[in-house]
Amino acid sequence: MAISVTCIAPVNIAIVKYCKHWSGGKRDDDLILPINDSISVTLSTDHLRTKTTITASPELTKNVLRLNGVEESFENPRIQRCLLEVQKKAKSSGKCPKPEMLEWKIRVESENNFPTAAGLASSAAGYACFVYTLATLYGIEDEELSGIARMGSGSACRSLHSGYVQWVMGEREDGADSLAVQVAPATAWPNMHVLILVVNDRKKATASTQGMSTSVKTSELLKHRAEKCVPQRIEQLKKAIAEHDFETFGRIAMTDSNQFHGVCLDTYPPCFYMNDVSRQIVRLVHEINNMAGFIKVAYSFDAGPNACLFLLEKDVVEVSAIVRRAFPFNHCQEADYYKGIPNDEAAMAAVPEKVLNTFSVEEPNQLRYIIHTKVGEGPRRVE
Amino acid sequence: MAISVTCIAPVNIAIVKYCKHWSGGKRDDDLILPINDSISVTLSTDHLRTKTTITASPELTKNVLRLNGVEESFENPRIQRCLLEVQKKAKSSGKCPKPEMLEWKIRVESENNFPTAAGLASSAAGYACFVYTLATLYGIEDEELSGIARMGSGSACRSLHSGYVQWVMGEREDGADSLAVQVAPATAWPNMHVLILVVNDRKKATASTQGMSTSVKTSELLKHRAEKCVPQRIEQLKKAIAEHDFETFGRIAMTDSNQFHGVCLDTYPPCFYMNDVSRQIVRLVHEINNMAGFIKVAYSFDAGPNACLFLLEKDVVEVSAIVRRAFPFNHCQEADYYKGIPNDEAAMAAVPEKVLNTFSVEEPNQLRYIIHTKVGEGPRRVE
C-alpha cells in the first residue's frame, strides 16, 4: 500500500542577500518574511543537491525523519508547518490521485551530497526538496510552492526555480505574496560558471538563523540597507542578467556580499561568518581583477566562510589555475580536492608561470576542496 | 648654539570612532576633517608612549627625521605641514624666546615603546608628540595645538589631552573649528582600567589611511552612520562618562567598534582590520558578560587586530585571570607577556578553577603580549 517518491533539489546562493524581518514587527515571525527582495543563482544539481525520499503508508504509526542517515525529531515546528501547508494545498486543489493518503503518516529520508550546516545553504536545499517531494507525492508539484518552502527556511523558496531567481518580499501581512519567481532560466546565460571554495573550518561560529534575527533586532545600518541600498541593486542586477553584463553582475555580487557581512557585524553581539581564509580569498579575487583591469571573477559569501566565485567560461582555466596555485593542499587526493566539472588540465598546465607567480601562495590546506559547477535547474523527480 | 627639547605623548583609543571626510567633498583632504565627532580615551604614558627629541641648530643644513632609529624622509607633506603651522603660530604669538631659531633647521628623533603600525595608534601618538615637542621648543606649548596635530594624522589631535577627549568635527571649510577638547580628566574616573591584547599578526592587511579614505568613497552605510547613529552615541557616551556609568560606556564601546568595522567591510574593495584572533577575543568578552549578567568588560578595535579591553578596577583580577587562561603562551618569558601595571598574582591565583574552566582555551601564542594600563595624561616635557 505504501507510496514512495524521490526528488532532488538544488542549493542557491544569493547575489543580493536576504535578511529576515524582525519577529517583533507586524509580520509574523513564523512566516519567515524578508525585509528586502533578494536575487539568487540556482546551482547545478549535478554537483550539489539534496535528495529526499518520502514514503506515505497507512501502516506507519508516526511521522519519521532521517537526515543524512540520522533520525531527527519530526516535532520541528517548521517541518510541521510545511507538511500541513502542502497537505492543505493538496486537499483544496483536488488533484491528489489518492486523497486518503493525505491522512497517512510519512517517512522522510533526506541526504545532501555536500557538508550540512557548512554555510552551503543546506537548509534551503533541504526544505525545498522536502516541500517539492511531498507535493509530487500528492500530485501538486505544479502548484505555487515557494511560499510554503519559505516557511521552512526563508531562502528555500528560491531553490524551487532554476537559473536566476528573485524572492519578492511582498506586502501582505499573511506573507501570501512573498514568493520566488524566475528572473531568467539557467540556459539564458550558459557561459556563467561557478567555483565553490569550501574552507577548512571547524564549525560555524553562529547559526545563521540566530545571526540574522539578531541583526534585525539591533543593527542600525540594516534598515538603511534594506530601504535605500537594496532596491536599486535589485533593478541593476536584473538588468545585468538580462544583458549578460558580467562586470555589473560581479560588482553587485561583491558589494552586496560585503555589505551583508558588514551589517552582520553591526549587531550586538556581532555576528561573524567570514574568517581569515575567506579574507585571503577576497584579497586574491581583487588582485586577479586589478591585474586584469576588469572584473574577471567575483565572490559571494553566505552564512559561512566558504566562497562562491562567479566567472565566465572563457576565464575558468586561468582563474582555476591561480586558485590552485594560491591554495595548495596535501591533506587529500587530487580527485577529492577538485570536484565537479572536470577542468581542461592541459590548458591549465599551459597558464604561464609569470601569471601564476604574481600571486602569493597561502599555507597548505586552507581549503577543504573546490567544486567547479554551473548555474542549474530546479527540483525534479528522480527514480 | 643648538637647542633641544624632549617630550612624550600618549596613544589614544576611540570609543566612538572617527571616519575621514572624503577628499572629493567640499572640505580639503589635506586638512584631515572627519565626517562625525569622535570620543577617545588617552592611555597612560607609563606604558605606551612616543618620545620625541627635537634639536634646532643654525648649523644644520637640512631637516632630519629619525623614527625608531631609522632615518626617514622629511619630504612627507604631513610632516611639512605640521612644521609650517607650528612655526606660523610661534611667529604670530610673539612668544618664541629666540625668534631666529624659527629659521633654523631641525633634527627630529622619535621612538615608540610599542610596535609601530600595529594598529596601536602609533601615528596619533607620533604626530601629537612631534607637534607638542616643536611647540615646546618654540615656547608655545600652551597654545591650541590640536588643529595642527590633526593635519598630521586625524586622531593625533585627541592625543594632546588627558583623560576622555572629544574631537569636535566642526563646520568651517578651513577646518579651524575641528579641534579636540577634554570631556573629563583621567582623574575623574580613576578606577577605569585597560587591558591591551596585542595579537600575533604578521602585518596589517590594509594601511588605515587607505582603508578609511576608501570607506568614505564607496560605503553607502557610512553616511547613515555619521548622520544618524553617531550624534546620539556621542551624547550618551558623554553622559556615561560624567555619571561613571560603565554599563553604557561598555555597550557604546562595543557597538561602535562593531559598526565601524562593519562599515569598513561595506567598501569596495572591502577593508578588514579584525582577524580570527580578534573574533576569539570578542567571543570571550561576550561570554564573560553573559556569565556576569552585566557588562564587566568591553572591547574596542582600532585599525588593526589588537583589542583594547575596558574594565573597572574591581574586575581586573578576575578578567585578567580568564584572559590568561583563554590565551596561553610559550613563545616568550612571562615578564615579556604580561606588561604594564603588575597584577595581584596572589589574588589571581585565587580565582576559582570553576570560573576559569567555563571558558574555552585557544591555541597557544595567539597573543604577542598583554599590557595592563589605565587612562592617563596628555603630552609633557621630559628630561
Side-chain angles (χ1 to χ4, degrees), chain B residues 82-305:
Chain B
C82 289
L83 174 60
L84 197 74
E85 294 287 338
V86 176
Q87 289 175 336
K88 202 158 72 180
K89 191 169 284 239
K91 272 177 202 152
S92 66
S93 74
K95 288 185 192 168
C96 186
K98 206 178 173 79
E100 65 269 33
M101 71 188 278
L102 291 169
E103 310 301 327
W104 298 350
K105 300 292 181 192
I106 58 171
R107 172 189 294 122
V108 181
E109 291 178 282
S110 189
E111 50 106 18
N112 300 324
N113 67 345
F114 58 91
T116 302
L120 281 177
S122 56
S123 68
Y127 276 99
C129 207
F130 174 63
V131 168
Y132 186 81
T133 308
L134 198 59
T136 304
L137 185 75
Y138 297 150
I140 56 160
E141 67 274 19
D142 293 333
E143 298 277 313
E144 206 313 301
L145 300 170
S146 75
I148 300 177
R150 192 201 71 226
M151 293 184 235
S153 173
S155 54
C157 68
R158 296 185 312 234
S159 273
L160 284 169
H161 296 288
S162 69
Y164 303 82
V165 182
Q166 180 174 5
W167 175 6
V168 179
M169 63 180 286
E171 291 171 3
R172 286 179 52 166
E173 299 256 327
D174 67 359
D177 56 352
S178 188
L179 303 171
V181 293
Q182 189 183 72
V183 170
T187 50
W189 198 352
N191 54 340
M192 176 73 86
H193 281 241
V194 179
L195 293 176
I196 301 172
L197 276 48
V198 180
V199 169
N200 245 335
D201 196 41
R202 283 153 294 189
K203 57 168 184 168
K204 284 214 283 185
T206 313
S208 64
T209 319
Q210 188 200 332
M212 286 204 209
S213 90
T214 312
S215 293
V216 192
K217 269 179 223 163
T218 63
S219 169
E220 298 187 61
L221 301 181
L222 180 65
K223 202 165 163 270
H224 182 75
R225 159 177 163 74
E227 287 171 8
K228 306 290 179 192
C229 306
V230 170
Q232 59 187 23
R233 274 187 196 160
I234 291 282
E235 292 316 310
Q236 287 165 0
L237 181 58
K238 284 167 80 169
K239 187 161 172 281
I241 292 166
E243 296 173 358
H244 297 191
D245 170 3
F246 186 79
E247 183 82 15
T248 303
F249 179 92
R251 188 177 44 75
I252 291 175
M254 293 189 277
T255 51
D256 201 75
S257 177
N258 291 331
Q259 186 172 81
F260 170 78
H261 291 277
V263 165
C264 289
L265 235 171
D266 179 45
T267 63
Y268 185 76
C271 180
F272 298 100
Y273 295 117
M274 295 168 76
N275 68 15
D276 286 351
V277 182
S278 314
R279 282 195 290 284
Q280 289 165 359
I281 298 167
V282 166
R283 215 170 291 139
L284 179 66
V285 166
H286 286 292
E287 278 171 19
I288 293 171
N289 293 336
N290 283 343
M291 188 122 349
F294 61 91
I295 296 177
K296 187 175 269 188
V297 50
Y299 53 78
S300 183
F301 294 83
D302 264 8

Side-chain angles (χ1 to χ4, degrees), chain A residues 209-228:
Chain A
T209 318
Q210 189 201 329
M212 285 205 209
S213 88
T214 312
S215 294
V216 191
K217 269 178 224 164
T218 63
S219 170
E220 299 187 60
L221 301 180
L222 180 65
K223 201 166 165 268
H224 182 76
R225 160 176 162 75
E227 287 172 8
K228 305 291 180 193

Side-chain angles (χ1 to χ4, degrees), chain A residues 191-374:
Chain A
N191 54 341
M192 176 73 84
H193 281 241
V194 179
L195 293 176
I196 301 171
L197 276 47
V198 180
V199 169
N200 244 335
D201 196 41
R202 283 155 294 189
K203 56 169 185 167
K204 282 214 283 184
T206 314
S208 64
T209 318
Q210 189 201 329
M212 285 205 209
S213 88
T214 312
S215 294
V216 191
K217 269 178 224 164
T218 63
S219 170
E220 299 187 60
L221 301 180
L222 180 65
K223 201 166 165 268
H224 182 76
R225 160 176 162 75
E227 287 172 8
K228 305 291 180 193
C229 306
V230 169
Q232 58 187 23
R233 275 188 196 158
I234 291 282
E235 292 316 308
Q236 287 165 359
L237 181 58
K238 285 167 81 169
K239 188 160 171 282
I241 293 167
E243 294 172 357
H244 296 191
D245 170 3
F246 186 79
E247 183 82 14
T248 303
F249 178 93
R251 188 178 42 74
I252 292 175
M254 293 189 278
T255 51
D256 200 75
S257 176
N258 291 332
Q259 186 171 82
F260 170 78
H261 291 277
V263 166
C264 289
L265 236 172
D266 180 43
T267 63
Y268 185 76
C271 180
F272 298 102
Y273 295 117
M274 295 168 77
N275 67 14
D276 287 352
V277 181
S278 313
R279 282 195 290 283
Q280 289 165 2
I281 297 167
V282 166
R283 215 169 291 140
L284 179 66
V285 165
H286 286 292
E287 279 171 20
I288 293 171
N289 292 337
N290 282 345
M291 187 121 350
F294 61 90
I295 295 178
K296 188 176 268 188
V297 51
Y299 53 78
S300 183
F301 294 83
D302 264 8
N306 307 312
C308 208
L309 304 187
F310 294 91
L311 68 177
L312 296 178
E313 191 164 24
K314 69 180 175 57
D315 296 315
V316 165
V317 163
E318 190 193 89
V319 171
S320 293
I322 293 168
V323 168
R324 289 183 183 197
R325 172 65 65 98
F327 291 100
F329 72 99
N330 56 35
H331 64 292
C332 67
Q333 297 296 310
E334 201 158 292
D336 295 321
Y337 195 68
Y338 305 126
K339 298 173 183 242
I341 301 171
N343 282 1
D344 180 342
E345 296 293 335
M348 287 187 53
V351 174
E353 274 298 310
K354 210 185 103 188
V355 171
L356 299 179
N357 284 338
T358 321
F359 303 95
S360 52
V361 177
E362 307 294 342
E363 282 170 36
N365 309 332
Q366 304 277 41
L367 302 183
R368 208 156 127 195
Y369 49 78
I370 299 168
I371 308 169
H372 177 190
T373 187
K374 293 188 66 174

